Amino acid sequence: MVLQIMRLQLILFWAVVAAMTKPTWAQAKLGCQDKCGSVSIPYPFGMTDNCYYNEGFLITCNETFNPPKPFLQESNIDIINISINGQLHVMQYVAYDCYDQFGRREHQTKPWISFENLKVSSTENKFIAIGCDTYATIRGYQNDKSYESGCMSICSSIDYISNGSCSGIGCCQISIPEGLHSIDVAVNSYYNHTKVWNFSPCSYAFVMEEDKFNFSSANLSDLRNVTELPMVIDWAIGNVTCEVAKTSSEYACMKNSMCYNVQNGAGYGCRCLEGYKGNAYLPHGCQGTHQLSYKSGIYIYKKTHTQIYNL
Ligand SMILES: *[C@@H]1O[C@H](CO)[C@@H](O)[C@H](O)[C@H]1NC(C)=O
Ligand SMILES: *[C@@H]1O[C@H](CO)[C@@H](O)[C@H](O)[C@H]1NC(C)=O
Ligand SMILES: *[C@@H]1O[C@H](CO)[C@@H](O)[C@H](O)[C@H]1NC(C)=O
Ligand SMILES: *[C@@H]1O[C@H](CO)[C@@H](O)[C@H](O)[C@H]1NC(C)=O
Ligand SMILES: *[C@@H]1O[C@H](CO)[C@@H](O)[C@H](O)[C@H]1NC(C)=O
Ligand SMILES: *[C@@H]1O[C@H](CO)[C@@H](O)[C@H](O)[C@H]1NC(C)=O
Ligand SMILES: *[C@@H]1O[C@H](CO)[C@@H](O)[C@H](O)[C@H]1NC(C)=O
Ligand SMILES: *[C@@H]1O[C@H](CO)[C@@H](O)[C@H](O)[C@H]1NC(C)=O
């Protein structure tokens, strides 16, 4: 009887613990707001003083939108998602060059971005240009060294544009190099689209998450109504390696975590050790998975009991 009550208490206890410690990997620093609208803002990112690791991780939450929208630092780049594994999913502006049927320019934009602690992901993005009278350039900086590249696309009819592949007819794409912390994108035409205006009145260029892009001949005109497209950014702490960072008072990896050097540019990241999950940048961020992962209190009770028994 006594044993049964104890069991019941244990079950209740673990059920409560399980409810309290439901896995939330994307935690903010203690006492800090952890969401802007529907987007979680995990540390090292934060929205107010003392809530972010340094200025590079500042997120500006603009409450005039409904729901509120998070922006990177003080830019106009809005954030879709922050992954604690070193990536940011953002929306980035498209470069346009549009003409009327007489070859007069209607509008042109040349978007650019520049950051210190962030790099455009070279593995997840491509530089893409669309149009049938189009040449596009991307310029950027890798530390203090500049680079420039681009691609062109000329075509005379919409009929031979194949959907699904960006292969050079109506669409061209190139890879981008590692380590770019600043880019600007520009697009232009040879003949002001006069020869192709009825099916291709504009040229467009942008850096976009490759997996989300599926070219179609419809894009020659429907992109006109699209101002932003998804892009992936890599983030890292500082600009030194783990070996150097470990000796510094600003070392960002906390208990039960390990440090890794990033692939894209300088800096390092932290991740929880095997058997732990959570936010490795917070003091108690990495939690043992056996405590956290079982949703049912009864299951935890049994597990705990077995463990005790095994001892
Ligand atoms: C929020 O967004 C509005 C509309 O785009 C803009 O006018 C305003 O300056 C923004 N506020 C902040 C704090 O960035
Ligand atoms: C954001 O990223 C997390 C982890 O990478 C993922 O589980 C979640 O589905 C993503 N959310 C959106 C809206 O993309
Ligand atoms: C193309 O447009 C530009 C800007 O509107 C203009 O200066 C130029 O003369 C035009 N060229 C042709 C070939 O129509
Ligand atoms: C490509 O897709 C568009 C609509 O997205 C369609 O109108 C067009 O006929 C397709 N072209 C080919 C060659 O299948
Ligand atoms: C790309 O879009 C076409 C229709 O426009 C569709 O048939 C095809 O499955 C899509 N491919 C991918 C990889 O999404
Ligand atoms: C390109 O066209 C396809 C088919 O109409 C559409 O699903 C897709 O969203 C367009 N791509 C972009 C980047 O707008
Ligand atoms: C762009 O949007 C306008 C209205 O906002 C619409 O009239 C037009 O047909 C759209 N153009 C394309 C190419 O989708
Ligand atoms: C590394 O970061 C420090 C502090 O932010 C800065 O002073 C230094 O110039 C950076 N070094 C390089 C090579 O970017």
Side-chain angles (χ1 to χ4, degrees):
M1 182 61 191
V2 173
L3 197 71
Q4 267 176 1
I5 290 169
M6 252 178 67
R7 274 191 174 185
L8 191 65
Q9 279 177 340
L10 254 179
I11 289 169
L12 284 174
F13 173 73
W14 281 109
V16 170
V17 168
M20 275 166 43
T21 59
K22 69 172 193 296
T24 47
W25 312 139
Q27 306 114 314
K29 203 164 153 181
L30 201 63
C32 295
Q33 205 186 324
D34 68 349
K35 278 200 158 182
C36 173
S38 56
V39 182
S40 296
I41 313 291
Y43 190 75
F45 293 89
M47 291 175 277
T48 46
D49 283 353
N50 300 318
C51 285
Y52 45 82
Y53 178 77
N54 65 29
E55 303 295 323
F57 295 93
L58 168 67
I59 302 292
T60 307
C61 189
N62 192 328
E63 311 262 352
T64 62
F65 294 93
N66 185 20
K69 259 184 163 182
F71 291 86
L72 203 45
Q73 295 164 12
E74 280 157 349
S75 72
N76 58 0
I77 307 249
D78 58 298
I79 297 172
I80 305 303
N81 201 355
I82 301 180
S83 152
I84 203 70
N85 303 324
Q87 290 192 321
L88 285 174
H89 290 255
V90 303
M91 296 301 282
Q92 161 62 3
Y93 287 89
V94 175
Y96 294 87
D97 187 30
C98 291
Y99 293 84
D100 68 13
Q101 65 200 92
F102 308 109
R104 288 179 301 223
R105 179 173 281 142
E106 282 183 336
H107 83 161
Q108 190 180 35
T109 61
K110 297 179 182 184
W112 59 275
I113 58 166
S114 179
F115 303 108
E116 269 175 43
N117 58 324
L118 307 169
K119 307 287 183 313
V120 177
S121 170
S122 58
T123 51
E124 310 263 334
N125 302 305
K126 284 274 193 288
F127 176 65
I128 297 164
I130 291 176
C132 275
D133 177 6
T134 301
Y135 67 90
T137 55
I138 176 170
R139 292 190 305 160
Y141 278 90
Q142 218 184 22
N143 294 322
D144 56 350
K145 295 187 289 294
S146 69
Y147 119 103
E148 182 161 350
S149 187
C151 68
M152 60 176 281
S153 157
I154 308 280
C155 32
S156 57
S157 157
I158 200 167
D159 302 333
Y160 65 127
I161 293 176
S162 52
N163 290 337
S165 77
C166 179
S167 55
I169 302 177
C171 178
C172 61
Q173 65 176 33
I174 56 170
S175 298
I176 55 172
E178 282 184 2
L180 293 185
H181 59 82
S182 148
I183 53 171
D184 61 64
V185 170
V187 66
N188 222 318
S189 74
Y190 293 99
Y191 308 106
N192 290 7
H193 287 257
T194 45
K195 301 180 177 184
V196 294
W197 188 82
N198 59 344
F199 64 93
S200 172
C202 297
S203 294
Y204 318 93
F206 44 87
V207 172
M208 183 173 171
E209 189 173 353
E210 190 180 7
D211 286 349
K212 300 220 169 122
F213 178 66
N214 185 359
F215 178 62
S216 148
S217 60
N219 297 148
L220 290 171
S221 46
D222 71 9
L223 268 172
R224 204 176 177 143
N225 285 353
V226 175
T227 53
E228 296 173 288
L229 288 168
M231 177 172 89
V232 182
I233 288 178
D234 292 330
W235 59 268
I237 305 279
N239 56 13
V240 296
T241 61
C242 290
E243 289 61 41
V244 177
K246 275 175 186 158
T247 63
S248 147
S249 61
E250 285 168 25
Y251 183 52
C253 304
M254 297 295 163
K255 204 174 161 206
N256 298 323
S257 78
M258 55 164 287
C259 183
Y260 63 91
N261 293 320
V262 297
Q263 299 293 310
N264 190 7
Y268 66 94
C270 312
R271 77 166 71 92
C272 292
L273 291 172
E274 190 97 6
Y276 294 85
K277 270 195 172 152
N279 186 336
Y281 302 91
L282 287 172
H284 302 286
C286 293
Q287 302 274 336
T289 44
H290 65 278
Q291 250 189 48
L292 282 169
S293 57
Y294 304 117
K295 300 238 168 63
S296 144
I298 291 161
Y299 192 73
I300 287 172
Y301 161 72
K302 280 184 184 157
K303 181 83 176 173
T304 312
H305 218 71
T306 330
Q307 278 172 351
I308 291 167
Y309 203 78
N310 285 346
L311 293 173

